[in-house]
Amino acid sequence: MYGSILVICIKGTLDVGGIEVVLQRNRDSGRLNAPDWTWDPTVRLSMLAVFVGGSLHKIQSSAVNQICIQRYLSLPSFKKAKQTVILFNILLIALLLCCCYMGLLAYASYHDCDPISTKLASASDQLPTLLVMKTVGDIPGLQGLFVSGVFSAALSSLSTGLNSLACVISQDVIASFLKSPLNERHTAIILRLIVVVFGVACIGLVYVVEKLGMVLQLSTMTSAVTMGPLLAVYTMGVTLPWINGKSALTGCLAGFLVLSWICGNAQVAQMKGEIAYPKMPVSIEGCKYEFDNATAWHTIHDYKPSTPEQRNLYHLSFLWYSALGATTSVIVACLATRIFGTTNLEELDPALVSPFMRRFLPLRKQKEYMSVSLEDFFSGQHAREGRKLHAEQK
């Protein structure tokens, strides 16, 4: 992924005349701007939405996500897991910065001939492909490098997601209905069947997704339907331990239904053209190929973004979805404790609660814990140290 995007960025920058030209063309068109400072949650990319809503979204996807936790648990120690998280975020930030620069480079390359207005590209998601063909299309092998980068990114996420999905369904759904545990052979067959079924479903959904707008925004909207309630479950578990299972489930169902309603109606409104976000200015004055001038002119000048008076709940920024789902779930769960009762905190293991909250809760006497790597644990060294510490405390 890094190899393909760096090659495109370096070669494309040299083609347009250097990084100064890239920045100047974007600066002249108003694209080098910061998010708006506003409290309005319907502004698509406000400063508050980016830093607060975006942070909560990334916390969910990187900290309490089944896919990521499954990877953290495969590491030998807690220290290694923390190092992995730090390294992961550094490399992720670097990759996202490369993607942002690639967007600036795409505009600098097509600043006087917008391919979307001329219908050379039907959606903004196709611009990277056009940029690749324009930049390295005459160099054998480099188009394949870009394709391999795209497939590497897609298969990495898809394979991990299918694997996690198969584990959850087989252990939490299928196994719970069986009277006797499955043997290793039957488990392997069930896992493979689940992956095949959902893999075929993912391929079929490609024809649906291509008609629903930008991939990044669509993925954030659809995943937020479950991400918000999932973030709430972990938040309630480590910071609000008096909320019992029934109350937490009630809150998550409420958050799921609220987000499903908002995301579904917002997507329908976008398809109907009732929701239109502001766009930056483009030009077709430098185009050197034939296109329908009337269509291009209407595409540029007839576009009318939604006014502040037209905005409603369905205009909510997609970066706020996870925060809204989590907040709704926590509030409803707290109210549901009036019906389902609360957990007896005196019987709760303090290790299951955030260290910050332990001092405020009437938990039972805390035990002594120490960080142990798996190698040392199985060697018995820390086991002996633990027994010695316990004897000294007595």
Side-chain angles (χ1 to χ4, degrees):
M1 292 187 290
Y2 273 102
S4 61
I5 197 170
L6 286 175
V7 168
I8 302 302
C9 289
I10 294 173
K11 179 63 166 56
T13 301
L14 295 176
D15 289 346
V16 299
I19 190 172
E20 296 84 3
V21 178
V22 175
L23 297 178
Q24 186 61 42
R25 289 178 179 177
N26 283 274
R27 189 181 298 112
D28 293 342
S29 65
R31 281 170 168 79
L32 290 182
N33 57 353
D36 297 333
W37 289 93
T38 177
W39 293 95
D40 186 358
T42 62
V43 175
R44 186 167 176 266
L45 293 174
S46 66
M47 192 69 71
L48 198 64
V50 170
F51 283 98
V52 179
S55 296
L56 290 174
H57 176 76
K58 291 308 297 180
I59 287 174
Q60 195 286 327
S61 61
S62 302
V64 300
N65 193 310
Q66 157 78 9
I67 295 174
C68 290
I69 290 179
Q70 184 172 295
R71 293 174 175 177
Y72 301 152
L73 292 176
S74 68
L75 296 170
S77 66
F78 183 61
K79 181 180 179 181
K80 294 292 184 182
K82 289 196 294 185
Q83 292 174 350
T84 300
V85 173
I86 294 173
L87 181 61
F88 162 71
N89 281 283
I90 292 174
L91 294 176
L92 179 63
I93 291 172
L95 184 63
L96 292 177
L97 288 175
C98 290
C99 293
C100 291
Y101 180 77
M102 192 173 180
L104 298 177
L105 179 62
Y107 174 75
S109 301
Y110 295 104
H111 71 286
D112 58 352
C113 184
D114 178 40
I116 297 179
S117 300
T118 61
K119 302 305 178 182
L120 186 63
S122 58
S124 57
D125 295 325
Q126 297 178 359
L127 288 179
T129 307
L130 285 177
L131 180 64
V132 169
M133 297 306 299
K134 180 179 180 179
T135 305
V136 298
D138 57 339
I139 304 177
L142 288 188
Q143 304 100 308
L145 176 64
F146 177 77
V147 172
S148 65
V150 173
F151 275 96
S152 297
L155 292 177
S156 173
S157 301
L158 189 61
S159 61
T160 309
L162 290 174
N163 179 45
S164 299
L165 189 64
C167 291
V168 170
I169 292 178
S170 63
Q171 295 299 317
D172 296 342
V173 179
I174 297 177
S176 61
F177 291 99
L178 300 177
K179 296 181 179 180
S180 58
L182 295 170
N183 57 38
E184 187 174 345
R185 179 173 178 272
H186 290 162
T187 301
I189 294 175
I190 290 176
L191 289 175
R192 291 166 183 167
L193 286 176
I194 294 173
V195 170
V196 170
V197 171
F198 282 96
V200 173
C202 290
I203 295 174
L205 287 174
V206 170
Y207 299 100
V208 179
V209 171
E210 67 177 356
K211 302 182 183 299
L212 297 180
M214 294 180 60
V215 173
L216 175 62
Q217 179 173 320
L218 178 64
S219 63
T220 305
M221 290 177 63
T222 53
S223 60
V225 173
T226 55
M227 279 185 173
L230 185 59
L231 177 60
V233 168
Y234 277 83
T235 303
M236 290 185 284
V238 299
T239 62
L240 306 173
W242 60 84
I243 298 177
N244 58 27
K246 292 181 180 179
S247 299
L249 179 60
T250 303
C252 289
L253 288 176
F256 175 80
L257 293 175
V258 169
L259 278 183
S260 297
W261 176 265
I262 294 176
C263 293
N265 282 277
Q267 198 62 47
V268 171
Q270 287 189 43
M271 295 174 64
K272 293 181 178 179
E274 298 173 359
I275 295 179
Y277 296 103
K279 291 184 178 181
M280 304 301 293
V282 294
S283 173
I284 55 174
E285 296 178 357
C287 294
K288 298 179 181 179
Y289 54 86
E290 294 184 359
F291 60 92
D292 190 341
N293 283 283
T295 301
W297 192 91
H298 286 298
T299 301
I300 296 174
H301 298 282
D302 289 352
Y303 183 82
K304 302 296 181 183
S306 302
T307 62
E309 293 77 16
Q310 295 174 324
R311 294 175 185 169
N312 50 38
L313 180 63
Y314 305 131
H315 287 74
L316 182 70
S317 172
F318 66 98
L319 292 174
W320 283 116
Y321 286 146
S322 294
L324 176 63
T327 304
T328 303
S329 300
V330 172
I331 292 176
V332 174
C334 290
L335 296 176
T337 58
R338 306 295 296 178
I339 301 174
F340 300 110
T342 58
T343 301
N344 187 357
L345 298 180
E346 295 182 354
E347 299 179 358
L348 187 68
D349 188 350
L352 302 177
V353 183
S354 171
F356 172 75
M357 292 296 296
R358 291 174 193 169
R359 68 189 73 175
F360 304 110
L361 300 174
L363 301 173
R364 69 189 186 189
K365 186 177 179 181
Q366 298 184 18
K367 300 178 180 178
E368 294 291 335
Y369 294 93
M370 52 173 37
S371 179
V372 182
S373 67
L374 292 181
E375 296 90 341
D376 294 337
F377 177 79
F378 287 115
S379 67
Q381 176 181 353
H382 282 277
R384 292 190 295 271
E385 292 179 2
R387 287 193 295 268
K388 181 179 178 181
L389 178 63
H390 182 66
E392 290 176 354
Q393 289 177 345
K394 283 187 175 181

